[in-house]
Amino acid sequence: MIQTLLILIGISALVLVGCLQLDESVKQLKLEQEGLQLESLVRAATKDCQTDETLRYPIGTVTCTRTDKGFKMKAVLDNGQGIEAVVSDG
């Protein structure tokens, strides 16, 4: 009886560790996906920005501010994650 209980506790611990590792993997994949989405927003805005403006895209917005060398951009996904970038003309 005690051996069976110890085996069940051991199996439960292994399952718990596996679930924690899977959770970390999912979080990492989500961060990578958000990074790619933010990069795509900046790339799209690089072609679309003409003046100081806010551009709306299906996955988020980009606010463009004209500088003497190009644009300062703030890209924000619909989930609130954001990034700032400086894009030079040319």
Side-chain angles (χ1 to χ4, degrees):
M1 175 89 171
I2 293 178
Q3 289 176 339
T4 303
L5 183 59
L6 291 175
I7 289 172
L8 289 174
I9 290 172
I11 291 172
S12 297
L14 289 174
V15 169
L16 179 62
V17 168
C19 288
L20 291 174
Q21 289 175 343
L22 182 61
D23 185 50
E24 286 300 314
S25 295
V26 168
K27 285 179 184 176
Q28 182 65 32
L29 287 172
K30 184 178 178 188
L31 286 174
E32 289 174 10
Q33 181 185 26
E34 288 175 348
L36 291 171
Q37 288 175 330
L38 287 166
E39 181 182 354
S40 70
L41 278 176
V42 170
R43 285 179 185 265
T46 299
K47 295 178 181 170
D48 296 339
C49 283
Q50 302 298 319
T51 60
D52 291 357
E53 59 186 323
T54 299
L55 302 170
R56 177 75 185 130
Y57 296 98
I59 60 172
T61 59
V62 179
T63 301
C64 305
T65 305
R66 188 72 155 130
T67 67
D68 57 339
K69 296 181 181 178
F71 285 99
K72 180 179 177 186
M73 297 181 182
K74 183 174 183 182
V76 181
L77 296 175
D78 288 336
N79 69 3
Q81 293 295 326
I83 190 171
E84 290 187 12
V86 176
V87 179
S88 60
D89 290 332

